[in-house]
Amino acid sequence: MKKTILIFLPLLMTISCKDQKQETKNKTAPPQEQVQISKDSADLKQNPVEEATEAISILLPKEYRDFGKENEVNGLAKDWLDLYQKDGNFYLGKADYTVSSGYSECSGDSTKVIHSKNNSLLLIGHSRLTLGEIKTVKIVKNKIWPTEKLKFRFGNEEYTLRAEGKVLSSEKVHTDEGEELYQNVKDYKLYLSASNAPETLFLQEESFNDTFVELLFIGDLDKDGKPDFIFGANRDYEEERVILYLSSQAKKGKLIKKAAEIAIQFDC
């Protein structure tokens, strides 16, 4: 009788171990399914405005604060390009600049300041853009308020910028250019369409604090025969934010895509 029990006990332990392994295997399967479900759900809720994916960098010829040992100016190099204006025309050339150290009395941070030797709109790094004069469109209206449209021709195509949003208030303000309209806007959306392409939402902001979106540049930066755009998109009066959109990076069926963005904070 004792011999039978001893033979049966190892057999029982072997069966028990197999059951435990099968149970463990079954318990690990559901999390994998859950990860897949979460990914699919996130894709469904993805923002319709595409984010920049290429390795292009941009900087403005401005002052930048140090954050510890980090400063955005550290990435600037002599192989960067300069989008600048001369005699009413825009050119893309080699960046010609100096960098000086400074100090912000407002924030108490050390700073670095980029001094460009040209009338620069934007410094561009890590791109394959071609040097030379840029074909541009004269900007007749730099702010596109909700319900407004801006039409322009580029090559043989007509393009339309159209804005949506909720206007909370309106007033006349005095600027260096004279009196102009200012509106307090929320849920702002900006669309681009062409005669051969459907309308695309490419820029949206939930709210602004004493500022608004401003069109800075329309021209063929990437030499593909289609317009590229630069917008000032400050969300706050203590921020300077610029976004570069390139047509050559657009996906099929789209006209442009965000290529790079820079935001400089100067709050105290």
Side-chain angles (χ1 to χ4, degrees), residues 49-56 243-244 249 257-261:
V49 178
E50 296 179 3
E51 292 301 314
T53 56
E54 299 296 327
I56 293 179
I243 306 175
L244 168 65
Q249 292 191 9
K257 183 177 181 181
K258 181 195 289 189
E261 175 181 337

Side-chain angles (χ1 to χ4, degrees), residues 61-205:
K62 300 283 184 178
E63 181 180 49
Y64 296 79
R65 295 176 181 175
D66 289 334
F67 294 96
K69 294 183 179 180
E70 298 297 323
N71 191 303
E72 289 163 296
V73 179
N74 295 341
L76 183 60
K78 290 299 182 182
D79 61 349
W80 277 49
L81 304 181
D82 183 0
L83 176 62
Y84 64 93
Q85 192 171 15
K86 182 180 179 181
D87 299 328
N89 298 317
F90 278 95
Y91 299 86
L92 199 61
K94 291 288 186 180
D96 191 2
Y97 64 90
T98 59
V99 176
S100 64
S101 298
Y103 178 78
S104 172
E105 295 286 350
C106 177
S107 65
D109 297 315
S110 56
T111 64
K112 288 184 179 178
V113 187
I114 301 173
H115 306 276
S116 177
K117 297 181 181 179
N118 298 314
N119 182 20
S120 304
L121 175 60
L122 202 63
L123 300 174
I124 306 172
H126 314 108
S127 74
R128 298 179 181 178
L129 300 177
T130 304
L131 304 184
E133 186 174 351
I134 305 299
K135 180 181 178 181
T136 59
V137 173
K138 184 178 180 180
I139 298 174
V140 296
K141 183 178 177 60
N142 63 359
K143 294 183 177 67
I144 308 169
W145 300 104
T147 73
E148 290 185 345
K149 294 180 180 180
L150 174 64
K151 293 181 180 291
F152 65 93
R153 294 197 67 84
F154 198 89
N156 297 321
E157 293 292 335
E158 182 177 76
Y159 295 82
T160 302
L161 288 163
R162 184 181 69 85
E164 291 181 353
K166 298 177 182 178
V167 177
L168 304 180
S169 63
S170 300
E171 62 179 319
K172 294 287 186 178
V173 297
H174 294 277
T175 68
D176 294 337
E177 287 74 35
E179 189 179 68
E180 66 175 50
L181 174 70
Y182 174 77
Q183 299 187 116
N184 184 10
V185 177
K186 68 176 295 186
D187 299 328
Y188 183 73
K189 295 180 181 179
L190 195 56
Y191 299 84
L192 176 66
S193 61
S195 53
N196 66 342
E199 189 174 70
T200 299
L201 170 64
F202 69 94
L203 191 156
Q204 62 179 350
E205 294 297 338

